[in-house]
Amino acid sequence: MKALVLVDIQNDFIPGGAIAVKDGDAVVPLANKLQEKFDFIVATQDWHPADHASFAKNHKGKSIGDVIELGGLQQVLWPAHCVQETEGAKFHAGLDCSKIKKVFPKGTDSQIDSYSGFYDNGHRKSTGLAEFLRNNKMSQVFICGLATDYCVKFTALDSLTEGFETFVVEDVCRGVELKPGDVENALKELQEKGCSLINSQTILNT
Ligand code: VGL
Ligand code: ZN
């Protein structure tokens, strides 16, 4: 059985938001359309406390884009974003949330980031997403949302290692591209690791 995972379709990743993903709002109507083809839909939600260690402003003398060491892991520093209970953390107002069975918050521990919807970046804690999918007999996982080169990428990588047949719906994703080529490299790495890239039209036509 197939599940659709909507990754971080939140105001802060949409133009005008804290980490504005170029053309990020373009995924909203496509994600809504795609949902018509799925009976099992979940969403991830970046959900940080205000003192989160991934925010540049929480490190004296550091700037956005700097890389620090955090709990033994490399951590990119971001603008403050998706702070719990703020407007920026809300799902885009145009996103149809009526069929979402469960929302998986991530990045809730101030001392570790979580790009994947399955685990934090150190693979220390599970969000429960893998168990939820397995308990509901899901074997295929289709992933779309924001951002291709961060949360979509790491969600797809964990989906593969959790043993799900994994598809990234390429046209229903947009990337941050801190460096030019990040999106292309992310998609290439995913394919090399066994992830399929698929177009929404292919799904809508079947
Ligand atoms: C994301 C950077 C920081 C994402 C989340 O959703 O791709 N990127 N937090
Ligand atoms: Zn974040």
Side-chain angles (χ1 to χ4, degrees):
M1 293 208 277
K2 63 185 175 104
L4 178 65
V5 181
L6 306 170
V7 174
D8 298 4
I9 308 181
Q10 295 168 257
N11 291 328
D12 269 339
F13 300 118
I14 302 285
I19 304 180
V21 174
K22 187 167 168 271
D23 211 22
D25 42 345
V27 306
V28 175
L30 294 168
N32 288 344
K33 190 80 192 149
L34 200 53
Q35 292 193 60
E36 293 171 13
K37 288 287 179 177
F38 289 83
D39 295 321
F40 198 92
I41 302 165
V42 298
T44 67
Q45 188 170 29
D46 215 31
W47 194 248
H48 299 306
D51 66 348
H52 199 265
S54 74
F55 299 170
K57 72 163 177 71
N58 292 330
H59 301 272
K60 208 164 163 258
K62 295 286 175 194
S63 310
I64 291 161
D66 286 354
V67 178
I68 62 159
E69 203 206 280
L70 180 65
L73 302 170
Q74 299 266 94
Q75 175 68 51
V76 177
L77 295 181
W78 300 101
H81 66 278
C82 298
V83 174
Q84 295 172 5
E85 312 295 347
T86 63
E87 209 41 47
K90 286 188 183 153
F91 292 125
H92 184 284
L95 183 68
D96 181 1
C97 296
S98 64
K99 285 176 71 187
I100 296 174
K101 292 209 188 292
K102 193 167 175 180
V103 174
F104 291 85
K106 61 187 184 61
T108 56
D109 178 339
S110 65
Q111 291 311 306
I112 191 162
D113 210 354
S114 188
Y115 295 144
S116 162
F118 289 93
Y119 293 94
D120 61 60
N121 291 359
H123 272 241
R124 291 166 196 160
K125 266 201 197 117
S126 161
T127 61
L129 175 54
E131 296 79 352
F132 190 69
L133 293 171
R134 272 195 283 271
N135 289 343
N136 286 282
K137 309 275 177 282
M138 296 297 137
S139 53
Q140 293 186 317
V141 174
F142 290 75
I143 300 168
C144 68
L146 306 169
T148 321
D149 37 357
Y150 285 92
C151 292
V152 169
K153 173 185 168 184
F154 288 97
T155 299
L157 288 174
D158 279 346
S159 174
L160 288 166
T161 57
E162 288 296 321
F164 299 109
E165 189 182 356
T166 305
F167 302 81
V168 164
V169 192
E170 196 178 342
D171 59 311
V172 193
C173 299
R174 293 294 183 279
V176 180
E177 289 249 306
L178 280 185
K179 293 192 299 297
D182 279 356
V183 167
E184 202 190 313
N185 291 334
L187 294 175
K188 199 167 139 240
E189 182 181 340
L190 285 169
Q191 273 186 303
E192 283 165 4
K193 294 198 164 141
C195 178
S196 301
L197 303 184
I198 190 168
N199 197 274
S200 60
Q201 206 54 53
T202 307
I203 301 170
L204 295 172
N205 288 340
T206 56

